[in-house]
């Protein structure tokens, strides 16, 4: 029976008052120095405070020595070891926990996560499936299950896989776009689209939940499926013009294709005759609006079919359509009208009202600003609601390879974060949803991008982010310092990347942290070749030209080597991201020796790369076992020469101020 002192310690621990919990534990220890539960609780407190993980591990091990069959002790030891990146010991502890408590779903979930981190995707998938079957899977578990499917060799369509994917797409708190490519392959295999003799009934597609969800919820990232959907879109347009209406069973499919084109910002190829047809359709909308101010079936049909080719906001009759209440439209069409018309009007209004933090005077900054005003980047759809128990320190530990101690301010206290070049706000809003106590300032050149971010902040009820227009070159005038600065995919679009990086460095507190993302010269060679072609032919970045270059790449007109690489990029499949990829007004690319020089000149410590494909770390360790922290940039330069696609077009890494 536990003492009253120990019970009080537990109560204070559960309330988060660790100081008082420790006080009662010290008093309880005098009564029983070998109290395993008291030692375990002290270890839990040390883990929760993140100040001394070694002490937490020592205390929990002592508790296990006294009470070796307590499953909870092994679970918590695994959690500590995982955070210390001692994955092998963490797995051993979890397996022991599950021997003692086979239904301990927390151990199953963490073991699945660790298997996934080690590239043991089949083992991880089996555990996630078990959690799903026992209804113990969190929404994020569906995300990790999809991660395993995405990384395992595709085994062909099956109803079981379709069920897994639909359940994933039903999770509203997850971002779905990352797994678009897998979902596309599954759909293609289901309908045998690689077989040119195969006929697919459009009416059947209009009732297929997997296909409709793919169209509505993500951007298609597969050139074959893109061409298939483009051909369906053309057929539906012809039906609408020939019959002045559409059958009811096509209604959902038209809305889904219209949403798909909103997702990708109308990047799909449009033929010359289709342009004539949907222009005529827009004229028809004007005639119908003159006849009635109500949403007749014919008007509804014309508007949603037009939305497959352009946003309703770009209709010649947008102002008249705005005068019709959203509630007057059929229920199935309201979300489409909201996104395609009302949200864009709201975005432009917000852009005009956004506060400005600095002037924009640099000519390169002005050119980059102009690009992102025309094409806010990226137009993302939803966020993943991650585990809010993470501290920022824990996240950084998981994203770095160095074992050096991190600043104590990362262990949960409120800190200042700057996202420099936040674009349309996905990164700062994701941070804000998880690290709710922190204050985040997010700045960007583009008012349209910031307006999109502001609207999404309201959608996700985020209160701890300020969005301001600013040029990084001028932001040094800020009268505040930041503990953590994020600047990924931004500096290489400046006239002098090192100059911008130095401005940001001056805004760090002593011992501050930075996450940086910069283009790799080696990884972007295919992009360089396409950009050279575009520049040599003086191709301007109009929507029609972007569509034409994309179609040429999909058809292999620029050479097979290029055609095989560029359409594999996620950025190829939306208008703003394709412009960013191939038509950007300013781009620098770096080598690792140059990156090392920049870090040295800024007096920053390199803490390791973040790589989505974990096998690169294992391969690197086999080549350079002496580099325990995986931070030797000379070695990484040699590794990149051997594996030129390692960095997926960008070096992403954490670094830390030495002063």
């Amino acid at each position: 029976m536990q003492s009253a002192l120990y019970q009080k310690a537990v109560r204070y621990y559960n309330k988060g008052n660790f100081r008082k919990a420790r006080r009662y534990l010290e008093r309880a220890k005098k009564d029983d120095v070998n109290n395993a539960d008291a030692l375990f609780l002290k270890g839990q407190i040390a883990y929760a405070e993140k100040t001394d993980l070694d002490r937490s591990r020592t205390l929990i091990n002592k508790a296990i020595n006294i009470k070796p069959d307590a499953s909870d002790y092994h679970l918590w030891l695994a959690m500590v070891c995982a955070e210390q990146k001692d994955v092998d010991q963490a797995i051993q502890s979890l397996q022991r926990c599950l021997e003692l408590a086979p239904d301990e779903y927390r151990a199953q979930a963490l073991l699945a996560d660790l298997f996934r981190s080690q590239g043991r995707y089949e083992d991880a998938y089996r555990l996630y499936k078990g959690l799903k079957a026992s209804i113990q899977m969190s929404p994020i578990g569906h995300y990790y299950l999809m991660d395993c499917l995405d990384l395992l060799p595709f085994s062909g369509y099956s109803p079981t896989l379709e069920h897994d994917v639909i359940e994933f797409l039903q999770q509203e708190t997850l971002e779905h776009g990352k797994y678009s490519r897998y979902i596309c392959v599954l759909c293609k295999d289901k309908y045998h689209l690689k077989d040119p003799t195969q006929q697919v009934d459009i009416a059947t597609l209009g009732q297929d939940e997997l296909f409709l969800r793919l169209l509505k919820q993500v951007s298609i990232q597969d050139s074959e499926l893109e061409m298939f959907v483009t051909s369906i879109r053309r057929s539906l347009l012809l039906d609408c013009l020939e019959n002045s209406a559409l059958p009811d069973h096509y209604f959902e499919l038209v809305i889904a294709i219209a949403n798909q084109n909103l997702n990708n910002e109308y990047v799909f190829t449009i033929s010359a005759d289709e342009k004539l047809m949907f222009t005529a359709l827009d004229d028809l909308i004007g005639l119908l609006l003159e006849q009635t101010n109500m949403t007749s079936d014919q008007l509804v049909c014309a508007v949603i079919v037009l939305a497959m080719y352009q946003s309703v906001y770009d209709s010649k009759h947008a102002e008249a359509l705005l005068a019709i209440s959203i509630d007057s439209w059929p229920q199935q069409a309201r979300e489409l009208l909201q996104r395609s018309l009302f949200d864009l009007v709201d975005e432009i209004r917000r852009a005009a009202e956004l506060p400005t933090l600095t002037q924009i005077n640099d000519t390169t900054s002005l050119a980059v600003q102009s690009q992102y005003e025309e094409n806010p980047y990226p137009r993302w759809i939803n966020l993943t609601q991650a585990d809010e128990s993470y501290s920022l320190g824990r996240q950084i530990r998981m994203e770095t390879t160095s074992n050096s101690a991190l600043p104590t301010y990362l262990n949960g206290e409120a800190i200042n974060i700057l996202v420099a070049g936040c674009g349309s706000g996905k990164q700062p809003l994701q941070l804000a949803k998880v690290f709710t106590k922190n204050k985040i300032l997010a700045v960007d050149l583009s008012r349209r991008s910031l307006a999109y971010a502001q609207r999404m902040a309201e959608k996700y009820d985020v209160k701890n982010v300020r969005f301001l227009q600013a040029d990084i070159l001028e932001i040094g005038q800020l009268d505040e310092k930041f503990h953590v600065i994020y600047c990924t995919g931004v500096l290489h679009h400046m006239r002098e990347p090192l100059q911008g990086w130095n401005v940001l460095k001056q805004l760090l507190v002593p011992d501050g942290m930075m996450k940086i993302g910069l283009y790799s010269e080696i990884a972007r060679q295919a992009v360089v070749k396409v950009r050279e072609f575009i520049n040599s032919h003086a191709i301007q970045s109009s929507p029609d030209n972007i569509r034409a270059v994309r179609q040429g790449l999909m058809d292999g007109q620029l050479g097979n080597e290029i055609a095989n690489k560029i359409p594999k990029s996620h950025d190829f499949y939306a208008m703003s991201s394709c412009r960013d990829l191939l038509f950007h007004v300013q781009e620098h690319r770096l080598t690792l020796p140059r990156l090392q020089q920049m870090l040295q000149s800024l007096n920053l410590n390199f803490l390791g790369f973040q790589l989505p494909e974990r096998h690169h770390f294992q391969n690197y360790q086999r080549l350079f076992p002496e580099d325990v922290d995986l931070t030797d940039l000379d070695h990484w330069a040699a590794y990149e020469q051997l594996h030129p696609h390692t960095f997926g077009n960008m070096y992403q890494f954490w670094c830390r101020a030495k002063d």
Side-chain angles (χ1 to χ4, degrees):
M1 183 175 179
Q2 297 293 354
S3 69
L5 291 170
Y6 172 78
Q7 296 297 339
K8 284 185 178 180
V10 170
R11 284 197 294 273
Y12 280 115
Y13 169 79
N14 290 334
K15 292 177 181 178
N17 191 334
F18 301 139
R19 184 177 58 81
K20 281 195 174 181
R22 269 197 309 272
R23 185 187 304 167
Y24 280 105
L25 282 174
E26 290 301 323
R27 290 170 61 186
K29 183 180 174 183
K30 294 177 182 177
D31 298 335
D32 183 359
V33 293
N34 292 317
N35 186 321
D37 288 342
L39 288 167
F40 175 55
L41 185 58
K42 289 175 75 173
Q44 287 178 293
I45 292 170
Y47 175 81
E49 292 182 322
K50 310 293 185 189
T51 52
D52 193 344
L53 291 175
D54 286 336
R55 175 168 169 74
S56 174
R57 185 168 177 170
T58 298
L59 289 165
I60 295 173
N61 268 317
K62 285 183 178 179
I64 289 171
N65 289 335
I66 298 168
K67 196 193 292 189
D69 294 337
S71 60
D72 258 14
Y73 294 7
H74 295 280
L75 171 61
W76 277 78
L77 179 60
M79 291 164 60
V80 176
C81 291
E83 191 144 341
Q84 291 184 312
K85 301 180 183 176
D86 187 350
V87 176
D88 291 338
Q89 181 57 57
I91 288 174
Q92 285 183 33
S93 297
L94 290 168
Q95 290 171 333
R96 177 59 180 150
C97 173
L98 290 169
E99 287 175 10
L100 297 166
D103 296 328
E104 176 51 79
Y105 73 89
R106 294 173 298 174
Q108 293 170 13
L110 181 54
L111 185 58
D113 292 348
L114 293 176
F115 281 159
R116 185 172 52 85
S117 73
Q118 286 196 320
R120 295 171 59 178
Y121 302 119
E122 288 187 22
D123 293 332
Y125 177 68
R126 188 166 52 251
L127 281 166
Y128 289 129
K129 288 283 286 184
L131 287 165
K132 188 156 74 76
S134 63
I135 324 179
Q136 296 289 356
M137 181 181 279
S138 65
I140 197 72
H142 289 276
Y143 192 79
Y144 295 150
L145 185 147
M146 279 300 303
D147 207 41
C148 295
L149 285 178
D150 189 49
L151 292 164
L152 284 167
F154 182 68
S155 56
Y157 169 81
S158 74
T160 300
L161 287 177
E162 179 176 11
H163 181 71
D164 285 342
V165 170
I166 288 174
E167 284 202 334
F168 164 68
L169 291 170
Q170 288 171 340
Q171 305 298 316
E172 295 181 0
T173 59
L174 298 180
E175 176 195 356
H176 305 117
K178 180 180 177 183
Y179 303 110
S180 166
R181 191 154 290 161
Y182 181 88
I183 304 168
C184 289
V185 171
L186 187 67
C187 278
K188 285 200 306 181
D189 206 54
K190 178 179 181 179
Y191 287 102
H192 310 289
L193 296 185
K194 285 188 174 291
D195 181 357
T197 65
Q198 188 71 31
Q199 296 294 315
V200 181
D201 179 40
I202 295 180
T204 300
L205 290 173
Q207 299 174 39
D208 185 290
E209 182 177 4
L210 177 64
F211 189 67
L212 292 175
R213 283 188 176 275
L214 166 63
L215 292 173
K216 289 180 180 178
Q217 293 177 229
V218 300
S219 291
I220 287 174
Q221 294 182 6
D222 182 282
S223 56
E224 292 175 334
L225 192 57
E226 176 179 325
M227 288 186 280
F228 175 69
V229 172
T230 302
S231 69
I232 295 172
R233 179 178 67 171
R234 179 186 177 84
S235 297
L236 293 169
L237 174 62
L238 285 167
D239 273 359
C240 177
L241 288 173
E242 288 174 7
N243 304 311
S244 299
L246 282 171
D248 289 344
H249 56 268
Y250 285 170
F251 196 83
E252 286 290 344
L253 182 59
V254 171
I255 287 177
I257 293 176
N259 273 290
Q260 172 60 208
N261 283 278
L262 274 169
N263 295 347
N264 65 47
E265 303 155 279
Y266 298 94
V267 80
F268 287 178
T269 299
I270 302 171
S271 64
D273 63 328
E274 282 176 291
K275 277 192 177 182
L276 291 173
M277 286 190 283
F278 80 73
T279 301
L281 190 63
D282 203 7
D283 292 335
L284 174 62
I285 289 171
L287 293 173
L288 292 169
L289 285 167
E290 289 175 6
Q291 296 171 14
T292 176
N293 60 359
M294 299 300 291
T295 47
S296 66
D297 290 346
Q298 200 174 8
L299 178 62
V300 171
C301 169
V303 169
I304 65 171
V305 171
L306 180 71
M308 294 194 300
Y309 285 91
Q310 66 175 42
S311 69
V312 180
Y313 177 81
D314 289 327
S315 164
K316 290 179 287 190
H317 311 289
E319 191 172 342
L321 291 168
L322 274 168
I324 301 173
S325 166
I326 189 79
D327 295 331
S328 300
W329 295 89
Q331 183 68 43
Q332 309 102 296
R334 289 177 192 171
E335 182 182 359
L336 173 63
L337 266 293
Q338 184 67 45
R339 293 184 66 201
S340 185
L341 179 60
F342 294 95
D343 283 351
L344 292 174
V345 171
D346 177 65
E347 188 178 299
I348 290 168
R349 175 191 60 79
R350 290 174 185 272
E353 297 173 355
L354 268 162
T356 297
L357 180 63
T358 74
Q359 294 298 311
I360 302 171
N361 301 311
D362 180 78
T363 54
T364 300
S365 298
L366 288 167
V368 173
Q369 178 197 20
S370 177
Q371 172 176 327
Y372 291 126
E373 294 293 359
E374 293 172 12
N375 293 106
Y377 169 72
R379 284 193 178 274
W380 52 279
I381 302 170
N382 51 8
L383 288 176
T384 292
Q385 183 63 61
D387 183 354
E388 293 185 21
S389 67
Y390 268 46
S391 68
L392 185 54
R394 183 180 181 192
Q395 184 182 75
I396 293 175
R397 268 192 292 273
M398 300 303 287
E399 292 183 1
T400 57
T401 56
S402 170
N403 288 308
S404 60
L406 296 178
T408 56
Y409 60 70
L410 294 173
N411 292 326
E413 61 188 79
I415 61 173
N416 288 339
I417 297 173
L418 171 65
V419 181
C422 69
S424 53
K426 186 175 182 180
Q427 185 179 43
L429 292 178
Q430 188 74 73
L431 290 167
K433 289 291 286 182
V434 181
F435 310 119
T436 54
K437 292 189 292 185
N438 298 323
K439 297 178 189 175
I440 301 173
L441 173 61
V443 301
D444 199 83
L445 292 168
S446 165
R447 302 179 76 84
R448 281 290 298 276
S449 296
L450 290 164
Y452 190 89
Q454 190 182 71
R455 181 164 58 77
M456 296 302 269
E458 291 181 8
K459 173 182 175 180
Y460 285 98
D461 194 30
V462 172
K463 302 286 199 304
N464 55 324
V465 181
R466 288 182 294 154
F467 291 105
L468 296 173
Q469 185 187 33
D471 186 348
I472 289 172
L473 290 173
E474 307 291 337
I475 204 172
Q477 64 190 259
L478 263 178
D479 189 24
E480 56 184 307
K481 298 287 186 181
F482 298 90
H483 300 85
V484 178
I485 295 176
Y486 290 82
C487 190
T488 55
V490 178
L491 295 172
H492 47 228
H493 293 314
M494 301 180 73
R495 181 167 45 83
E496 294 290 345
L498 184 59
Q499 181 185 1
W501 196 352
N502 185 54
V503 172
L504 295 176
K505 164 67 170 12
Q506 306 311 312
L507 294 175
L508 279 178
V509 301
D511 208 24
M513 305 281 298
M514 303 182 87
K515 185 175 184 180
I516 302 296
L518 294 163
Y519 284 148
S520 160
E521 179 72 55
I522 292 174
R524 283 181 76 82
Q525 283 309 294
V527 173
V528 170
K529 290 179 181 178
V530 178
R531 287 175 63 87
E532 288 172 351
F533 172 85
I534 289 168
N535 292 334
S536 66
H537 289 77
I539 302 172
Q540 300 301 306
S541 56
S542 69
D544 283 343
N545 286 345
I546 292 172
R547 293 187 191 106
V549 169
R550 287 185 77 253
Q551 192 62 51
L553 286 165
M554 288 191 286
D555 293 341
Q557 294 173 6
L558 276 69
N560 289 334
E561 180 188 357
I562 295 172
N564 289 337
K565 290 178 180 177
I566 297 299
K568 292 178 181 178
S569 168
H570 293 285
D571 285 340
F572 186 72
Y573 293 94
M575 185 68 75
S576 63
S577 56
C578 188
R579 182 176 180 182
D580 192 83
L581 177 71
L582 302 176
F583 288 82
H584 206 289
V585 295
Q586 175 76 354
E587 175 176 315
H588 292 275
R589 296 169 301 278
L590 282 80
T591 62
L592 286 176
R594 175 57 182 148
L595 174 59
Q596 188 166 28
Q597 291 172 358
M598 295 169 80
L599 287 162
Q600 289 170 351
S601 70
L602 293 168
N603 204 27
L604 292 167
N605 278 324
F606 176 71
L607 299 180
F609 289 114
Q610 183 181 358
L611 285 169
E613 295 175 318
R614 305 290 297 180
H615 68 270
H616 285 300
F617 291 131
Q618 296 158 2
N619 294 342
Y620 177 91
Q621 284 178 310
R622 282 193 288 270
L623 285 172
F624 307 107
E626 70 279 10
D627 181 15
V628 178
D629 281 358
L630 285 69
T631 54
D632 187 315
L633 288 172
D634 291 330
H635 288 342
W636 275 111
Y639 183 88
E640 189 180 18
Q641 291 293 332
L642 294 171
H643 305 280
H645 304 299
T646 300
F647 293 98
N649 301 340
M650 196 183 295
Y651 304 119
Q652 286 204 68
F653 57 92
W654 282 95
C655 53
R656 180 178 178 183
K658 292 181 181 179
D659 44 339

